[in-house]
Amino acid sequence: MKHYEVEILDAKTKDKLCFLDKVEPNATIGEIKSMFHKSHPQWYPARQSIRLDPKGKSLKDEDVLQHLPVGTTATFYFRDLGAQISWVTVFLTEYTGPLVIYLMFYFRVPFIYAPKYDFTTSKHWVVHLACMCHSFHYMKRLLETLFVHRFSHGTMPLRNIFKNCTYYWGFAAWMAYYINHPLYTPPIYGEQQIRLALIIFLFCQIGNFSIHIALRNLRPPGSKTRKIPYPTKNPFTWIFLLVSCPNYTYELGSWLGFTVMTQCLPVAFFTMVGFIQMTVWAKGKHRSYLKEFRDYPPLRSPILPFVL
Amino acid sequence: MASSEEDGTVEEKENNNKKRSKSALATAWLTFYNIAMTAGWLVLAIAMMRFYIQKGTHKGLYRSIARTLKFFQTFALVEVGHCAIGIVRTSVIVTGVQVCSRIFMVWFITNSIRQIQNEESVILFLVVWTVTEITRYSYYTFNLLHHLPYFIKWARYNLFIVLYPLGVIGELLTIYAALPFVRRSGMYSMRLPNKYNVSFDYYYCLIVVMLSYIPRKEHFQ
């Protein structure tokens, strides 16, 4: 068996950072990253970007050395992606915040509202309902992060956690402040409005969960394969006929429900900002589906059936 | 075969012509726009000088030029469009922030809070803006005509060293002077309870705006 020699150069300075000899031809990039990590312990594999060309795309961990367009002395270029943090850690942190923060406002912890209201409860039952819905939503997200989602990338740049937490925690505090305020005004159309909103909210929560399960089942454990999602026996997944990213569609629906339930402008803002971001993501995902699969169903839109 | 090849080259020439004529159109529009804005701010400068020479005081000066100022400063919004469609190579966000900060100053401070219109700080930032804009728009005009006098180039890159801090001082002092009137009148503010379940305090918003002058790097443009 002919062995390869691998040299790794810095993509910017072209300095020779590492030389590996007697590398197996069937070694993967992931294994090469581990070997590189041994000689440079500060660059753990998750923060290494290895490419064939200094300005080219990163090679995947699964790529095999002998299948790459390299000679028996392979030259790779390395770029430091910066400190990385795992997706699971980010999700757990950014979702626990809103859960805890909202409850602090709900229980009217001191220093938020006037002292005479400390630890009192709202007299409107919709406020209690809203707290249950909000808490349920984030508990669901936390449990999905731990038990349902299968992530394609293990990590993301560290600075994302500050950006993401500011967004989630900040909006949670802003919404919770008004919903749990002693001067909160309940919905104009009363019980009718609240009931309709609750139905929409629950419907979309179940829908969103169904989609997450369906996406999980597309992917065997520990794999990073990508397949076209199709409707299953669960009626909540039939929306796949019309939409590429129905998880986002249902998420939008949930927050619209919550907006109607609380009749609170900050919630409407949060829903709108989330919708814009999810649309950007959905369009990107839809585009990569179209690029990767030639037989991708043409009837599907990224996030809103026929519209967007 | 031959005819489709010919069609191909004819089409290519048409596309090239379209590209060339589009950028000629863009250049023509930008030249017209920059000349018009230079003229507009010159008119403002002259009106301000005339008022001061004739009346000997700055009191009432803002009111006399308010309409012209509002027109030309608001029209500058099209510059965001220029960046968005790509005929000007600047970031949409940077231009957007700059123009919005001017619009805010004109419409949400000076125009709507009458009691501060005779403050000296207003005259200060008006003078700074006028000099800055005349320099900036004439610089762009001459650039588009490929005939840039050294004086204009020097002015654009050197005057801002003095003008920028003076402008900041003028704007900040004006907002600061407006604070008590905003508080007393409760303008642009919304209190609880209301059916939207939201509140907004313009007074605290202005304080945040004043603080935001600190990390402003887009002024260096």
Side-chain angles (χ1 to χ4, degrees), chain A residues 107-147:
Chain A
F107 288 114
R108 293 189 182 156
V109 150
F111 298 106
I112 300 176
Y113 305 112
K116 68 176 173 180
Y117 296 113
D118 288 350
F119 297 118
T120 55
T121 44
S122 172
K123 58 181 182 224
H124 306 290
W125 69 273
V126 67
V127 172
H128 307 300
L129 182 62
C131 182
M132 287 188 270
C133 289
H134 187 271
S135 306
F136 171 78
H137 179 78
Y138 281 102
M139 279 263 46
K140 169 180 156 294
R141 286 214 202 184
L142 285 167
L143 292 171
E144 284 172 341
T145 304
L146 290 168
F147 302 114

Side-chain angles (χ1 to χ4, degrees), chain A residues 211-249:
Chain A
I211 301 300
H212 286 158
I213 294 290
L215 290 172
R216 170 200 172 81
N217 291 336
L218 278 184
R219 194 175 259 182
S223 88
K224 292 183 188 175
T225 51
R226 268 190 303 279
K227 302 210 303 243
I228 304 179
Y230 282 106
T232 67
K233 284 194 213 112
N234 180 345
F236 284 97
T237 65
W238 295 351
I239 192 177
F240 269 121
L241 290 168
L242 299 174
V243 160
S244 289
C245 302
N247 49 321
Y248 295 143
T249 318

Side-chain angles (χ1 to χ4, degrees), chain A residues 164-182:
Chain A
N164 291 12
C165 284
T166 306
Y167 171 77
Y168 277 104
W169 298 18
F171 261 114
W174 195 36
M175 296 192 289
Y177 175 79
Y178 289 107
I179 300 172
N180 298 294
H181 200 282

